[in-house]
Amino acid sequence: VKNIAKELGVIDKEVIPLMKAVEGYLVNIHASGTRVKTKPDNFYDLGPIVGSSGEISQRTKEFLAERKTIVVYFGPTPVPENFDGKICELARAYPEYNILVIDNKKQFKMTEDLPKNVLVEVSTDLIAVANDEHAELGIIHGGLGTTTVFVNAGVPLTMSPTGSDQDGYAKTVEDLGAGFVVKKGNLDFREVLEKFLQNRDYYKQNMMKARDEKILATKDQDDRTSQEIAADILFKAMELG
């Protein structure tokens, strides 16, 4: 909301009360993993606000093209304990899969002796990655922005929420049968892939259905973008005081 307001030239003192109200509402609606589908009609899912830039490095393109790929992305949120070691263990156990770690906070410390099927990128276009035909599974925390990217791409998810909106969106995906939730602190990547492979077709089919039904669509029926919808809501809210 604040970024959109800034682009529109709206001053902070008008926006801050609205932001606080929205934040309080999000905390309530997502408490204890409340399923997002139960939200009222005037609640909009608008992630991701940032669109696809199409910027993927050549090495990432080549890496994705090699074989099916597990995409791991936790954004700014702290990663699980022994993150590097668990990723490498997964890669060695499943050489038939590539593991792409998007680590824009540089939390992946291991730089040498990585398995050949592991690639760590500090920055890349997550939307383009998720829409690649070889993207097989996303492992994320479950916030709106990242969840929307994978749902709109039809890629099943494993989610390990740490709070805020993550609990609600993770619960929504799990209830749809399009992925499953792993409790915070219990994220073992090897066990995650084993569980996924046991019911891969089930998760994939349900995620494709969620995508087609626009469960977390980025556009509404009149084809406005997320930014346009958000700007319209913001202006209406400000008019109402």
Side-chain angles (χ1 to χ4, degrees), residues 23 49-50 64 72 101 180 201 213:
E23 182 180 13
I49 291 296
V50 179
L64 286 166
V72 182
V101 180
F180 54 91
D201 293 342
E213 293 181 357

Side-chain angles (χ1 to χ4, degrees), residues 142-160:
L144 171 60
T146 310
T147 302
T148 303
V149 168
F150 286 96
V151 171
N152 290 345
V155 177
L157 287 168
T158 292
M159 300 141 294
S160 179

Side-chain angles (χ1 to χ4, degrees), residues 15-224:
V15 177
I16 290 174
L18 177 61
M19 289 178 64
K20 288 183 177 179
V22 170
E23 182 180 13
Y25 183 69
L26 281 172
V27 170
N28 288 330
I29 199 169
H30 291 293
S32 302
T34 302
R35 183 174 177 176
V36 178
K37 194 172 183 181
T38 62
K39 65 186 182 297
D41 292 337
N42 63 343
F43 184 95
Y44 287 77
D45 295 307
L46 295 177
I49 291 296
V50 179
S52 173
S53 64
E55 296 177 358
I56 300 183
S57 68
Q58 186 59 35
R59 71 170 185 170
T60 302
K61 291 179 181 179
E62 294 173 358
F63 187 76
L64 286 166
E66 289 177 356
R67 58 181 69 89
K68 292 179 180 180
T69 301
I70 311 301
V71 183
V72 182
Y73 176 70
F74 293 123
T77 313
V79 296
E81 186 177 350
N82 191 25
F83 181 49
D84 310 39
K86 289 180 178 178
I87 288 291
C88 292
E89 180 185 350
L90 170 66
R92 295 187 181 103
Y94 289 91
E96 67 272 29
Y97 283 91
N98 275 351
I99 317 297
L100 174 60
V101 180
I102 303 174
D103 182 29
N104 53 13
K105 290 297 180 180
K106 298 183 180 180
Q107 300 183 84
F108 194 100
K109 303 302 181 184
M110 187 181 294
T111 57
E112 299 179 356
D113 300 323
L114 284 177
K116 292 183 179 180
N117 58 333
V118 174
L119 176 63
V120 181
E121 286 281 32
V122 174
S123 177
T124 193
D125 189 320
L126 183 62
I127 295 177
V129 166
N131 280 278
D132 187 277
E133 63 177 342
H134 291 99
E136 178 78 354
L137 173 69
I139 301 178
I140 64 175
H141 279 315
L144 171 60
T146 310
T147 302
T148 303
V149 168
F150 286 96
V151 171
N152 290 345
V155 177
L157 287 168
T158 292
M159 300 141 294
S160 179
T162 61
S164 186
D165 64 329
Q166 298 169 4
D167 294 296
Y169 288 106
K171 179 64 173 174
T172 298
V173 171
E174 184 173 63
D175 284 352
L176 292 169
F180 54 91
V181 175
V182 178
K183 291 183 179 180
K184 179 181 177 181
N186 294 331
L187 186 56
D188 183 305
F189 295 108
R190 187 170 176 175
E191 290 181 2
V192 161
L193 186 54
E194 289 172 356
K195 181 174 180 178
F196 168 71
L197 291 175
Q198 289 173 5
N199 291 288
R200 178 197 177 278
D201 293 342
Y202 171 79
Y203 294 126
K204 183 65 176 179
Q205 181 180 359
N206 286 327
M207 184 58 90
M208 295 296 287
K209 182 179 179 182
R211 182 199 67 178
D212 295 342
E213 293 181 357
K214 299 183 178 180
I215 297 298
L216 292 177
T218 55
K219 296 184 178 182
D220 68 358
Q221 291 182 352
D222 62 5
D223 209 37
R224 291 181 297 164

